[in-house]
Amino acid sequence: MILISSCLVGENVRYDGGTQGKSPLIQLIKEGNAIHACPELLGGLTVPRAPAEIIGGDGFDVLDGNAKVMTNTGKDVTASFIKGAEQTLKILKEKSIDTVILKANSPSCGNAQIYDGTFSGKKKQGLGVTSALLNRHGIKVMSEADYLSS
Ligand code: SF4
């Protein structure tokens, strides 16, 4: 079984109410070979919501209490991001998930790069909060590009 970011399978869960659905991934859901989850909604955030970025580090630093997730309006949403990561890990443990495909560059889901905390569109190396927690539990996260090019 595969777990995919909800926004990659056509769900309108992005901060702005949009989606970034990819047909091959939507097909995996239709065929019953995948389920989807959105860590930020699992953490209690809603749609739409203010965009958020990790300030002062990456997802590992957030988990360690050394960085925060802040919205562009200055609200600290760190606790929601950590809760969403924990809820996603719980789903993985409950289901027989062997492949995880999460949206690139997101402060939750990014598996290689994240936005740099300046809300300017610039990226830096690092994992989002959910990808970092899964990494710490030995679970490999692929981005949509990783999966579609494999
Ligand atoms: Fe939700 Fe992750 Fe998609 Fe953001 S990137 S909308 S947290 S599934």
Side-chain angles (χ1 to χ4, degrees):
M1 182 63 76
I2 302 170
L3 180 100
I4 307 174
S5 286
S6 297
C7 59
L8 291 175
V9 298
E11 299 291 315
N12 292 96
V13 295
R14 280 169 53 88
Y15 72 92
D16 58 0
T19 183
Q20 295 219 331
K22 308 280 182 223
S23 297
L25 302 181
I26 293 169
Q27 193 62 26
L28 289 172
I29 297 281
K30 285 186 181 160
E31 291 166 352
N33 293 320
I35 61 171
H36 66 84
C38 171
E40 290 174 26
L41 296 196
L42 288 171
L45 298 173
T46 53
V47 181
R49 56 191 176 278
E53 296 189 6
I54 298 174
I55 311 290
D58 67 2
F60 292 114
D61 298 310
V62 172
L63 294 173
D64 292 337
N66 296 324
K68 291 182 175 179
V69 190
M70 305 290 292
T71 69
N72 65 345
T73 55
K75 185 176 174 198
D76 186 339
V77 288
T78 305
S80 296
F81 273 65
I82 292 174
K83 182 181 174 193
E86 290 169 345
Q87 292 295 314
T88 304
L89 177 62
K90 189 164 173 249
I91 291 170
L92 291 179
K93 286 185 171 174
E94 286 170 357
K95 315 269 181 191
S96 301
I97 306 284
D98 52 21
T99 303
V100 180
I101 306 166
L102 298 184
K103 176 79 185 70
N105 306 323
S106 149
S108 292
C109 293
N111 77 329
Q113 286 193 310
I114 51 175
Y115 290 105
D116 73 354
T118 62
F119 296 96
S120 61
K122 289 188 199 140
K123 294 170 202 159
K124 64 180 181 184
Q125 295 288 325
L127 276 64
V129 180
T130 294
S131 286
L133 184 66
L134 301 188
N135 179 285
R136 284 213 168 144
H137 284 78
I139 300 163
K140 181 172 158 45
V141 174
M142 308 172 79
S143 70
E144 65 275 31
D146 295 334
Y147 180 79
L148 294 172
S149 65
S150 65

